[in-house]
Amino acid sequence: MKRLISVLLIALILCSTCLFSGCDLFDALTDMFPTTYSSPEKYTAGNTEFEGKVDLLSIWWQYGTVTLRTHKEDTVKIEESANQEIDEKFTLHWRYYNASDYGQVLYIQFSESGNFDFGDLKKDLVVYLPENDNMDIAINSKAALVDMDVSGFENTLKELHVLTESGKVSVKVDSADEVWISGQNDEGIPEENREFDFRANGTVSILGISASYAKVDVAVNKVYSGEVGTVFNDLYFSANQARDLKLANSDGKIYATILAFESLDVETFSAPCELTLSPDASFVLTLKEKDQFNHKTTPTSVSVEFEDMTQNGSQYTVGSGEKKIAIASNSDIRILPLGKS
């Protein structure tokens, strides 16, 4: 499969820098306040379009939306629109140069360096990138909606990191080596902006997603190792294949469809869990006495709706019991074959 983009995507919580511990350049960047950056005299204000490849893209955005797309042109296109008339001081600023260790680098900043008071200013940023086989991308935002779609090409992302303080995140990729998405939302954010949507047409080797007050909706073809969880909202997960997968929720439901797997570990706490599996699934379900925090758990009901199911205490066996499912829950558990409502 052709490698189009190696992606590092981060929506930055102001005081959080640990995600970049493996990269000195990103370490330096994350120590900065989002409206203050080094070498501001080397930046150019305003929209632009130019020919050239981008090996590393870093976007620092505060309020509004960030949209990233790939296209088949040989140009990089950067455009913004604002909800009010602004002067050059508050327009986007960009810098494009060659960094010997990182290749062609493009930085995009929300405004001129040194700005702190933006009032109710919101700006929508759209960036188009040409196809590139070796690219890292960082999108850093305090409060913005991030929409990223690089699924149009057969690409394998190297790393995708999302850390957001508030806002909606929608990401579409083909495949990825590593994906890490986490976010801290609260009840004051509109419901439609408290959503994490992730789609992968191909394989994700390592997948980690955690959220609060945000609905998490994941659909992947195949995942080797995954941990996905949210609190105070619902979790939806679907995969054709999953080798080792952990799902967790608190005060929210879990709806998961997994057609092939090796092991599943599920914690539902105070809300129901519904797992849909292949009709010919063969597994042993074990009810855990304690969750990951060492709290005792007892499900209110357990329904394993396979015809050849047998029960022995807290274990339920379907078929020859080849695969493993472990669940800790204080609510209802339902496991059913695909096609049964």
Side-chain angles (χ1 to χ4, degrees):
M1 177 176 289
K2 189 173 184 180
R3 301 181 65 90
L4 166 65
I5 300 177
S6 299
V7 172
L8 173 65
L9 169 64
I10 301 132
L12 178 70
I13 297 178
L14 295 181
C15 63
S16 299
T17 62
C18 60
L19 290 179
F20 291 120
S21 58
C23 177
D24 293 338
L25 178 61
F26 285 153
D27 281 343
L29 289 174
T30 52
D31 288 335
M32 302 177 186
F33 190 79
T35 56
T36 303
Y37 45 91
S38 62
S39 304
E41 72 281 358
K42 297 180 180 179
Y43 282 75
T44 302
N47 298 340
T48 187
E49 183 173 7
F50 58 86
E51 290 188 358
K53 70 173 184 175
V54 176
D55 298 307
L56 186 150
L57 169 66
S58 177
I59 300 175
W60 298 77
W61 212 249
Q62 280 201 294
Y63 310 107
T65 66
V66 175
T67 301
L68 174 62
R69 296 287 184 268
T70 52
H71 65 175
K72 295 183 179 181
E73 306 300 324
D74 294 328
T75 61
V76 176
K77 189 175 182 180
I78 308 170
E79 295 182 332
E80 73 170 357
S81 58
N83 65 345
Q84 58 189 264
E85 187 174 344
I86 55 176
D87 58 26
E88 184 175 291
K89 180 179 179 180
F90 291 98
T91 61
L92 70 85
H93 282 57
W94 59 273
R95 181 188 178 192
Y96 178 69
Y97 69 103
N98 181 270
S100 58
D101 293 335
Y102 303 98
Q104 295 300 124
V105 175
L106 173 63
Y107 291 158
I108 302 175
Q109 306 283 354
F110 186 75
S111 71
E112 180 182 273
S113 181
N115 289 329
F116 297 92
D117 184 5
F118 295 98
D120 59 354
L121 174 63
K122 293 183 179 181
K123 301 194 297 178
D124 299 326
L125 175 69
V126 180
V127 180
Y128 288 92
L129 300 172
E131 183 176 0
N132 187 349
D133 289 333
N134 184 25
M135 184 183 294
D136 291 320
I137 299 172
I139 299 178
N140 312 288
S141 175
K142 179 176 181 290
L145 307 185
V146 177
D147 184 6
M148 173 181 169
D149 187 348
V150 292
S151 62
F153 299 99
E154 290 186 357
N155 57 85
T156 297
L157 311 181
K158 187 184 240 179
E159 291 186 22
L160 167 63
H161 287 257
V162 179
L163 176 60
T164 178
E165 182 177 351
S166 61
K168 179 177 180 179
V169 177
S170 177
V171 177
K172 295 179 181 179
V173 304
D174 187 82
S175 299
D177 291 339
E178 295 186 27
V179 173
W180 304 99
I181 302 174
S182 63
Q184 182 68 36
N185 289 272
D186 59 58
E187 292 179 294
I189 300 172
E191 183 74 23
E192 63 270 17
N193 289 346
R194 290 189 277 123
E195 297 182 5
F196 288 179
D197 295 322
F198 177 76
R199 299 289 184 269
N201 299 327
T203 300
V204 177
S205 297
I206 300 175
L207 174 64
I209 299 177
S210 63
S212 64
Y213 292 98
K215 183 183 76 172
V216 174
D217 193 336
V218 177
V220 299
N221 179 46
K222 180 189 297 185
V223 58
Y224 289 131
S225 177
E227 293 190 26
V228 179
T230 187
V231 295
F232 311 121
N233 213 316
D234 293 338
L235 187 160
Y236 298 83
F237 186 95
S238 67
N240 288 325
Q241 298 181 56
R243 189 173 63 187
D244 298 307
L245 178 65
K246 295 182 180 180
L247 303 176
N249 204 346
S250 176
D251 294 326
K253 300 177 182 178
I254 292 179
Y255 298 96
T257 300
I258 303 120
L259 298 186
F261 65 94
E262 293 295 324
S263 68
L264 302 177
D265 190 302
V266 181
E267 297 193 356
T268 61
F269 302 101
S270 60
C273 164
E274 182 173 295
L275 301 181
T276 301
L277 309 177
S278 171
D280 59 357
S282 174
F283 60 89
V284 174
L285 163 65
T286 300
L287 301 180
K288 298 193 292 183
E289 295 182 355
K290 296 181 179 180
D291 62 23
Q292 60 182 314
F293 304 108
N294 207 34
H295 298 147
K296 291 185 177 180
T297 57
T298 303
T300 55
S301 69
V302 179
S303 177
V304 181
E305 302 175 16
F306 285 78
E307 292 183 359
D308 57 348
M309 185 273 294
T310 59
Q311 181 182 357
N312 183 11
S314 61
Q315 287 194 334
Y316 299 74
T317 301
V318 172
S320 58
E322 297 174 0
K323 312 305 180 184
K324 306 300 180 184
I325 303 176
I327 298 180
S329 176
N330 284 318
S331 187
D332 300 332
I333 298 172
R334 187 187 184 200
I335 303 179
L336 68 156
L338 183 67
K340 183 173 182 178
S341 58

